[in-house]
Amino acid sequence: MTGIEPLLVEQRGPVRWLSLNRPERRNALDVTLIEALDKQITSAEADPATAVVAVAGRGPSFCAGGDFHQFLELHDRGENPVGFLTDVSACFSRIAASPKPWVAVLHGHAVAGGLELALACDVVVAADTTLIGDGHLQRRLVPAGGSSVRLPGAVGRGLSRWLLLTGELLPATAFADTGWIHATVPEADLDATAIRVCRQLADRHGPAQQHLKTLLHRIDGMGPEQALREELATFADNWPASEVADALRAFLAPHTTKAPTTSAPTTKADHT
């Protein structure tokens, strides 16, 4: 134990910023980092002052995947890393299902587990030089943190199959037409862009946004008829929220004008 926190936490108003803090390993995922991330999911969801969670990486990269040092240690002991990867997958699934929006802020590399973490988030912003890809096949591995499941929906069947079956890494600009990355900017503008995006999400914080986030996760992959029923049920759940009526009144107020006061037409008799 070095005493260095694997995950740095900073609360900036309604936004909780999480920084992966293993820069010497390009923020590779190990047991301590996943445990810290999992605890922050619980903490952020329980905190009414936290509207949005942003996750970034310190050092040269966002996250280069799983920690191969840990993998080899397990291998040399005759153990399989599937137990650890089960925890990774569960952690990322919790992020995807969280009622609060998560923003991934990418730079350097977002590869393998780093890509899978970004795929679990709701919104992605990236420096234009970020190299992104699944990468598992480059090390004769297969995904275990969700990329084979989430990548096709994010970037399309064709590109996802190419990335998965070759392990190739592409610059963030190559994903411009997919719609998956919300903003691709020069690295010098990344922090300001992430702050702006988080602020926009935080401005819509409340029961309606949380109900909608939960709905979007729940209906992912559903057939349209069942998904439409879920949407109606979510509307019903959200309707009693006290802020609904307040929001409707606030919207209608500028459009509600009093009828002009008019006096009865005057006649000559009125003045006599």
Side-chain angles (χ1 to χ4, degrees), residues 171-193:
T173 51
F175 296 85
D177 294 336
T178 67
W180 171 54
I181 299 180
H182 176 73
T184 303
V185 298
E187 188 163 349
D189 299 329
L190 184 61
D191 288 348
T193 301

Side-chain angles (χ1 to χ4, degrees), residues 106-107 126-131 170-174 183-188 190:
L106 311 184
H107 80 287
D128 53 14
T129 54
T130 310
L131 291 177
L170 299 176
T173 51
T184 303
V185 298
E187 188 163 349
L190 184 61

Side-chain angles (χ1 to χ4, degrees), residues 197-215:
V197 167
C198 289
R199 185 180 298 122
Q200 285 183 268
L201 288 165
D203 285 345
R204 294 293 179 265
H205 174 59
Q209 188 188 66
Q210 295 190 33
H211 277 115
L212 182 55
K213 169 68 198 295
T214 301
L215 170 68

Side-chain angles (χ1 to χ4, degrees), residues 19 24 29 55 59 79 97 114 121 133 158 167 200 206 211 218-219 221 241 258:
S19 296
E24 75 287 351
L29 304 171
V55 58
E79 299 176 22
C121 294
Q200 285 183 268
H211 277 115
R218 192 163 61 240
I219 66 176
K258 294 182 179 180

Side-chain angles (χ1 to χ4, degrees), residues 124-246:
V124 178
V125 296
D128 53 14
T129 54
T130 310
L131 291 177
I132 299 171
D134 181 71
H136 283 100
L137 280 188
Q138 291 188 17
R139 303 293 176 262
R140 302 300 187 262
L141 295 167
V142 298
S147 58
S148 67
V149 177
R150 298 188 178 101
L151 190 59
V155 305
R157 183 181 186 273
L159 181 55
S160 68
R161 294 243 170 165
W162 178 259
L163 294 172
L164 289 163
L165 294 174
T166 65
E168 184 177 4
L169 309 183
L170 299 176
T173 51
F175 296 85
D177 294 336
T178 67
W180 171 54
I181 299 180
H182 176 73
T184 303
V185 298
E187 188 163 349
D189 299 329
L190 184 61
D191 288 348
T193 301
I195 290 169
R196 174 180 56 77
V197 167
C198 289
R199 185 180 298 122
Q200 285 183 268
L201 288 165
D203 285 345
R204 294 293 179 265
H205 174 59
Q209 188 188 66
Q210 295 190 33
H211 277 115
L212 182 55
K213 169 68 198 295
T214 301
L215 170 68
L216 293 173
H217 175 71
R218 192 163 61 240
I219 66 176
D220 189 27
M222 274 187 187
E225 291 186 4
Q226 184 181 359
L228 287 169
R229 289 193 294 270
E230 291 287 343
E231 184 183 65
L232 284 168
T234 301
F235 182 96
D237 289 341
N238 180 68
W239 177 252
S242 60
E243 64 178 22
V244 171
D246 293 340

